[in-house]
Amino acid sequence: MKLITAIIQEDKLDEVREALTAAEIGRITVTRVDGHGRQEGTEIYRGQVVAPNLIPKVEVKIGVNDEFVDVTIDAILKAARHGENGKIGDGKIFITPLEECIRIRTGERGGEAI
């Protein structure tokens, strides 16, 4: 099992959700977050460079069984990218091992709980 975390631009959330639904990935968690990477947007105030502003983004978390990892990543990549080649600030995808998943209602564990 893997936990896929995607940080994407806010305007791409609907497209990513639709792409995931089309790929039969229906269980996601969405959180509004702020941050910056290469898309810093530095400002100069009174001749001084000030710390970059935090930019609103959306964090999408999806727990998947191993056989759905590539399908999920492909759906996010296609839907979250701006234009054919993308642009700075389109986001990142992180894939981490998911040690355990437990459905609270039934107590199911592992892949069955996802």
Side-chain angles (χ1 to χ4, degrees), residues 12-92:
K12 289 295 189 172
L13 178 58
D14 287 337
E15 290 178 52
V16 168
R17 282 184 36 212
E18 290 170 8
L20 289 169
T21 300
E24 299 182 4
I25 307 295
R27 298 176 178 101
I28 66 171
T29 300
V30 176
T31 308
R32 306 282 176 186
V33 296
D34 295 319
H36 71 83
R38 295 173 78 190
Q39 183 188 15
E40 294 178 8
T42 57
E43 294 182 8
I44 297 179
Y45 178 73
R46 294 188 179 185
Q48 298 287 332
V49 176
V50 294
N53 291 329
L54 297 178
I55 299 167
K57 300 280 186 172
V58 175
E59 180 181 66
V60 179
K61 289 189 175 187
I62 310 156
V64 298
N65 290 314
D66 290 334
E67 59 268 18
F68 287 95
V69 172
D70 290 334
V71 172
T72 305
I73 292 167
D74 290 343
I76 295 169
L77 283 173
K78 290 175 186 168
R81 185 178 289 143
H82 282 87
E84 187 176 317
N85 297 318
K87 68 177 189 176
I88 291 177
D90 277 348
K92 295 252 187 334

Side-chain angles (χ1 to χ4, degrees), residues 90-103:
D90 277 348
K92 295 252 187 334
I93 300 174
F94 303 97
I95 304 162
T96 53
L98 186 57
E99 188 172 322
E100 184 69 272
C101 178
I102 304 167
R103 180 172 290 136

